[in-house]
Amino acid sequence: MMLFRALLVVILVALSVYSAVVVANHGLNLLPVFFGDMAEMAWPGQFNFDFMGFLVLSAVWTAWRHQFSPLGLALAVVAFFGGMMFLTIYLLVVSYQVKGDIKALLLGQARALA
């Protein structure tokens, strides 16, 4: 679990630094660029469309893990728009909440106990 948590921290720090540089150079104008690349039907758009699939899976898993409760649905929205920045923090926090129990981490407390 410590290696997993270390990986999450490395990803979070690297992504934060990279994002800060991109925002400093290009501003927060992500959505027109993201969807514009997809509209062009070229490789950058294909990558964005593929990535959006991961965002959907992350959001659905987050909602499912919380049994589609209001909190789970709210977190799903954050997961979709927050991407890996959300997921690294979420998994770090939850990994400590479940005391490293991978079953509870993946399934949620209620399903892990069933």
Side-chain angles (χ1 to χ4, degrees):
M1 185 58 64
M2 288 308 289
L3 286 174
F4 178 66
R5 289 175 179 153
L7 174 64
L8 292 173
V9 169
V10 167
I11 292 170
L12 178 60
V13 169
L15 183 59
S16 296
V17 170
Y18 192 93
S19 297
V21 171
V22 171
V23 169
N25 291 330
H26 301 283
L28 293 171
N29 201 21
L30 168 67
L31 294 180
V33 174
F34 186 83
F35 290 110
D37 283 347
M38 284 197 293
E40 289 180 17
M41 299 295 286
W43 282 115
Q46 188 279 340
F47 180 84
N48 290 354
F49 193 69
D50 183 272
F51 173 63
M52 196 166 63
F54 281 105
L55 293 173
V56 169
L57 285 176
S58 172
V60 170
W61 171 76
T62 302
W64 174 85
R65 187 182 179 281
H66 289 271
Q67 299 178 337
F68 297 97
S69 66
L71 173 63
L73 295 173
L75 286 172
V77 171
V78 178
F80 181 80
F81 289 103
M84 188 55 85
M85 196 73 76
F86 163 80
L87 197 58
T88 53
I89 295 167
Y90 178 78
L91 289 172
L92 275 169
V93 169
V94 172
S95 73
Y96 283 102
Q97 287 176 341
V98 299
K99 298 177 178 62
D101 180 358
I102 193 70
K103 186 176 179 183
L105 177 70
L106 294 173
L107 300 176
Q109 291 284 24
R111 288 185 181 96
L113 296 173

